[in-house]
Amino acid sequence: MKTAVIQFPGSNCDQDAFHAFATVPGLPARMVWHKDESLGDAELVVLPGGFSFGDYLRCGAIARFSPIMRAVTGFAENGGVVLGICNGFQVLCEAGLLPGALIRNECLEFRCTTVELRVEEAGPFFNREKLGERLMIPVAHGEGNYLIDGEGLDSLRKNGQILFRYAARGSAADRRLENPNGSVDNIAGIRNRRGNVFGMMPHPERAVESFHPSRDGIPVLKAVLEAAKSGAGVGV
Amino acid sequence: MSFFLNVKINVFVTPKKNVLDPQGAAIAHAMTSLGFKDLKNARMGKVIELELEGEPGEDFEASMDRVCRDLLSNPVIEDYRWSIEDAG
């Protein structure tokens, strides 16, 4: 599995993503600069976290027009598997490859913490049987408040497109604390309807080593690799 | 010889009415704390000032709308409007 990690000016989780996809599973991966126009022979594309173009205008709004994004869009349209993490998720929403948008956290603060995620039933790769019921994964963002209109939300639910929710336990008051950003329906990650484009605010690439807060990112990365290997969106 | 005009355009981007605006809410909260009693609501958006040189073409309005939709605003969460101001 050949992974391409896209680097935008201001990406800052690119090396972590590279490490998590290349070193940890020992698979070939390479960095692709945003000005490149081709993904080469990549079989999986990762848009990493960070602050592409300084988050100017809106998070991900400028990166969406980088030359490489035309290739990423074509890759996704052909069924290629794309994962966007944090800023990468924002870029995918801005590019229209995933529905909805990510706005300023409800609390107005940058949230840097490890959250508990509830795994949802979102198809053959992202489900409780594969990933377990709960995962502890770090988040670090100021604009992770996922927003979509009622009709869009119904469609996400109906089609099993919600990958993870911020785990809600206890009373309504506690529940609010555990959603770090005010996301609608506690959504932490989604996929497109076809099942080949994935976006999530938490950072699985920061949960792969023994010195990380957890190693729960490994099954998430495995799920993405498995989706890419099986050609998740091809011919659907 | 054609006229070359300096045209200034103001683009206003605002959060959609049904979209929660945490920044507007924080501003409203601060204003209320300052004793501003009659405040009903505050919404925060942004203004983008554009300066153009030359004569606007026939499809100028359509291209302004396109750039507002594709880049300057995100139609999922924001509304936009723009107006021309003669900069002389």
Side-chain angles (χ1 to χ4, degrees):
Chain A
M1 185 55 48
K2 293 170 190 153
T3 304
V5 178
I6 312 296
Q7 286 179 302
F8 298 99
S11 293
N12 68 3
C13 302
D14 43 337
Q15 297 296 340
D16 296 61
F18 181 87
H19 176 79
F21 276 96
T23 317
V24 176
L27 294 170
R30 65 191 175 92
M31 295 290 192
V32 175
W33 181 235
H34 79 114
K35 284 201 168 165
D36 288 354
E37 290 179 3
S38 162
L39 291 162
D41 57 357
E43 297 163 290
L44 167 66
V45 173
V46 178
L47 304 187
F51 301 85
S52 58
F53 296 90
D55 276 352
Y56 290 172
L57 192 60
R58 294 179 307 280
C59 304
I62 313 281
R64 177 215 160 170
F65 292 98
S66 277
I68 195 64
M69 284 307 293
R70 195 168 293 177
V72 172
T73 303
F75 181 80
E77 280 168 359
N78 286 327
V81 169
V82 179
L83 168 68
I85 302 166
C86 199
N87 187 225
F89 184 16
Q90 295 163 341
V91 174
L92 290 174
C93 287
E94 281 285 339
L97 289 171
L98 287 174
L102 292 144
I103 64 167
R104 181 66 65 94
N105 290 354
E106 196 176 31
C107 61
L108 292 173
E109 286 169 346
F110 189 96
R111 282 285 163 90
C112 183
T113 180
T114 298
V115 294
E116 187 168 347
L117 300 178
R118 190 176 85 194
V119 176
E120 302 296 342
E121 296 296 332
F125 310 104
F126 286 84
N127 54 59
R128 289 179 199 128
E129 195 191 328
K130 287 265 165 72
L131 299 171
E133 293 201 358
R134 307 246 166 172
L135 299 169
M136 297 296 291
I137 311 250
V139 291
H141 59 250
E143 277 95 359
N145 185 349
Y146 183 72
L147 196 86
I148 190 164
D149 61 20
E151 204 180 315
L153 181 59
D154 285 346
S155 170
L156 287 181
R157 287 180 182 146
K158 200 174 72 198
N159 298 303
Q161 288 174 247
I162 300 168
L163 306 177
F164 308 109
R165 283 189 171 91
Y166 299 111
R169 290 168 301 182
S171 68
D174 291 339
R175 204 168 293 152
R176 206 176 152 77
L177 284 175
E178 286 163 35
N179 176 339
N181 51 38
S183 270
V184 63
D185 203 19
N186 297 315
I187 289 174
I190 58 164
R191 65 166 173 84
N192 65 348
R193 195 156 170 191
R194 189 174 178 180
N196 64 317
V197 179
F198 304 90
M200 57 190 294
M201 288 312 296
H203 287 272
E205 81 284 13
R206 294 191 195 175
V208 297
E209 294 288 356
S210 55
F211 53 80
H212 282 157
S214 84
R215 302 184 87 174
D216 288 357
I218 293 174
V220 176
L221 303 179
K222 275 190 181 154
V224 176
L225 286 164
E226 210 182 307
K229 208 184 296 173
S230 76
V234 179
V236 177
Chain B
M1 197 192 272
S2 62
F3 279 104
F4 283 89
L5 310 168
N6 284 319
V7 179
K8 196 173 146 194
I9 294 168
N10 292 318
V11 180
F12 299 89
V13 180
T14 47
K16 276 188 191 294
K17 282 224 166 64
N18 55 353
V19 167
L20 183 83
D21 173 19
Q23 294 178 96
I27 291 165
H29 178 76
M31 285 179 69
T32 310
S33 319
L34 280 173
F36 202 97
K37 293 213 165 47
D38 301 327
L39 185 70
K40 200 174 143 203
N41 196 13
R43 312 278 294 165
M44 192 181 126
K46 53 192 132 193
V47 183
I48 301 158
E49 296 177 349
L50 308 174
E51 281 176 45
L52 273 72
E53 202 175 48
E55 240 176 321
E58 269 180 31
D59 59 350
F60 177 72
E61 293 201 0
S63 44
M64 269 307 299
D65 283 331
R66 194 176 329 120
V67 84
C68 285
R69 262 195 325 267
D70 291 352
L71 175 65
L72 302 181
S73 77
N74 178 343
V76 177
I77 47 172
E78 293 165 328
D79 292 321
Y80 72 84
R81 66 192 157 84
W82 57 270
S83 55
I84 298 179
E85 180 184 307
D86 194 350

